[in-house]
């Protein structure tokens, strides 16, 4: 009897160790490996060994749940097959040399919670399908070469807590849908080419702790409604073309003291209202 239990135990361990992912998921990994010059990675994959041994790949219940290849010398583009990894929860490719565009199939990753492709050379627009990855909590795509406008669909990501897209070349205005991101804590859009106004609906971002919009081309009145963001700890909206008065409370929040650029490109400081610290009461 004891030998039977021993045999079953060994069989179970062997099954878990050598369990294989689907052919579709393995193919997606191989496409990623080839498209990003895997033979030159810092930590390479032994394609003859089980996928469970491949560096940076995490598997649970025979499904790939995470790919973590940070600072691993990935050079090339992301293949469309990345969208076949439908159980993926984390895709972290931080600080590599990835170029090209983000494939629209990224929207197929319904379980994805963290997307980090910061510090690469990704270009083109963020795909509108990104908003279909409904479980996303963090999108970090800063320090790339992104162009185009912000996808409206990102405003549908009810769980989103971090949106970091600074140091790109994104144009256009902030979509109105973004002002409905109730879970958003960190919004970093600085050093782009954004235009348009910062709408008073910004006060809807009730969880916001950090707001960075500096070094864009936004204009109009700085909304006093920013004062309604009770969780806001850090803000920098300087080096835009905002105008009008600001309250003392808002001026104190901005680390660069509301320094703006006028139409001639000359740096000026917005006037701070002298008679009150806050415009919140007057605005209600």
């Amino acid at each position: 009897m004891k030998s039977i239990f021993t045999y079953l135990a060994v069989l179970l361990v062997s099954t878990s160790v050598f369990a294989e992912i689907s052919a579709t998921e393995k193919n997606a990994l191989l496409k990623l490996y080839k498209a990003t010059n895997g033979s030159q990675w810092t930590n390479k994959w032994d394609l003859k060994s089980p996928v469970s041994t491949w560096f940076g790949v995490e598997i649970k219940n025979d499904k790939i749940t995470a790919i973590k290849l940070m600072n691993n010398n990935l050079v090339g583009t992301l293949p469309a097959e990345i969208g076949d990894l439908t159980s993926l929860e984390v895709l972290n490719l931080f600080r590599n040399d990835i170029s090209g565009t983000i494939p629209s199939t990224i929207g197929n990753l319904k379980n994805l919670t963290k997307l980090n492709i910061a510090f690469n050379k990704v270009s083109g627009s963020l795909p509108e399908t990104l908003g279909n990855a409904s479980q996303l909590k963090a999108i970090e795509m800063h320090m790339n070469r992104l162009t185009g406008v912000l996808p409206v669909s990102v405003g549908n990501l009810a769980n989103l807590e971090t949106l970091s897209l600074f140091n790109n070349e994104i144009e256009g205005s902030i979509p109105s849908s973004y002002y409905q991101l109730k879970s958003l804590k960190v919004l970093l859009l600085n050093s782009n080419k954004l235009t348009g106004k910062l709408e008073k609906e910004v006060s809807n971002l009730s969880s916001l702790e950090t707001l960075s919009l500096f070094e864009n081309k936004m204009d109009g009145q700085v909304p006093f409604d920013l004062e309604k963001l009770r969780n806001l700890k850090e803000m920098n909206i300087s080096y835009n073309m905002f105008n009008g008065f600001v309250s003392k409370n808002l001026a104190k929040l901005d680390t660069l003291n509301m320094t703006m650029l006028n139409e001639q490109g000359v740096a000026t400081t917005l006037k701070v209202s002298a008679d009150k610290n806050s415009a919140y009461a007057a605005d209600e």
Side-chain angles (χ1 to χ4, degrees), residues 236-240 254 256-261 267-270:
N236 193 337
I237 62 173
S238 290
Y239 288 92
N240 279 281
D254 190 287
L256 293 178
N257 300 314
M258 296 288 180
T259 301
M260 301 295 160
L261 297 175
T268 59
T269 302
L270 291 188

Side-chain angles (χ1 to χ4, degrees), residues 4-263:
I4 293 176
F5 283 121
T6 302
Y7 172 76
L8 289 175
V10 171
L11 181 63
L12 287 172
V13 171
S14 300
T15 301
S16 63
V17 170
F18 294 106
E20 265 299 336
I21 62 172
S22 69
T24 299
E25 288 198 325
K26 185 171 184 178
N27 177 64
L29 289 181
L30 292 173
K31 292 288 187 181
L32 174 64
Y33 189 78
K34 294 176 181 178
T36 56
N37 201 18
S39 62
Q40 300 300 314
W41 287 2
T42 304
N43 295 285
K44 305 175 183 63
W45 289 345
D46 181 354
L47 302 184
K48 296 180 181 179
S49 298
V51 174
S52 58
T53 67
W54 292 4
F55 176 81
V57 177
E58 296 180 10
I59 300 175
K60 184 178 181 180
N61 297 326
D62 300 337
K63 299 288 186 180
I64 298 172
T65 56
I67 297 176
K68 300 177 180 178
L69 297 172
M70 303 81 77
N71 198 24
N72 200 44
N73 197 37
L74 276 68
V75 181
T77 60
L78 294 179
E81 287 81 1
I82 201 79
D84 292 336
L85 301 172
T86 53
S87 296
L88 200 64
E89 298 173 9
V90 175
L91 178 59
N92 193 338
L93 305 176
F94 173 81
R95 201 181 287 277
N96 282 288
D97 202 15
I98 297 169
S99 56
T101 60
I102 301 296
S104 61
T105 53
I106 199 80
N108 296 343
L109 306 182
K110 307 296 185 182
N111 294 296
L112 194 66
T113 61
K114 181 176 182 178
L115 175 64
N116 188 339
I117 314 180
F119 281 87
N120 279 278
K121 296 178 181 178
V122 177
S123 59
S125 302
L126 285 173
E128 196 67 42
T129 55
L130 187 60
N132 296 333
S134 56
Q135 297 303 311
L136 273 170
K137 291 184 177 181
I139 299 173
E140 297 178 78
M141 294 284 296
H142 48 270
M143 300 298 292
N144 274 287
R145 299 173 180 177
L146 294 171
T147 56
V149 299
L150 294 167
V152 174
S153 65
V154 168
N156 299 327
L157 298 174
N159 300 310
L160 194 65
E161 297 178 358
T162 298
L163 180 59
S164 181
L165 301 174
F166 65 86
N167 277 89
N168 281 287
E169 297 179 29
I170 299 171
E171 301 177 335
S173 59
I174 298 175
S176 59
S177 61
Y178 285 34
Y179 297 121
Q180 305 306 316
L181 293 170
K182 304 289 187 179
S183 298
L184 196 65
K185 295 180 180 179
V186 178
L187 179 59
L188 307 178
L189 300 177
N190 55 279
S191 303
N192 277 287
K193 297 180 179 180
L194 294 176
T195 55
K197 295 174 172 56
L198 180 61
E199 302 294 345
K200 65 179 183 178
E201 285 78 13
V202 69
S203 62
N204 294 334
L205 303 179
S206 54
S207 300
L208 199 64
E209 298 175 2
T210 303
L211 173 64
S212 185
L213 301 174
F214 77 86
E215 205 174 48
N216 279 290
K217 299 178 181 179
M218 299 181 70
D219 57 19
Q221 169 73 47
V222 177
F224 290 125
D225 300 76
L226 283 167
E227 293 181 23
K228 298 178 182 179
L229 299 177
R230 296 309 188 190
N231 293 306
L232 192 62
K233 299 172 183 175
E234 297 180 45
M235 180 180 78
N236 193 337
I237 62 173
S238 290
Y239 288 92
N240 279 281
M241 299 174 68
F242 292 124
N243 56 50
F245 285 89
V246 293
S247 70
K248 290 180 181 178
N249 287 346
L250 288 182
K252 288 177 182 177
L253 267 179
D254 190 287
T255 55
L256 293 178
N257 300 314
M258 296 288 180
T259 301
M260 301 295 160
L261 297 175
N262 62 22
E263 294 181 355

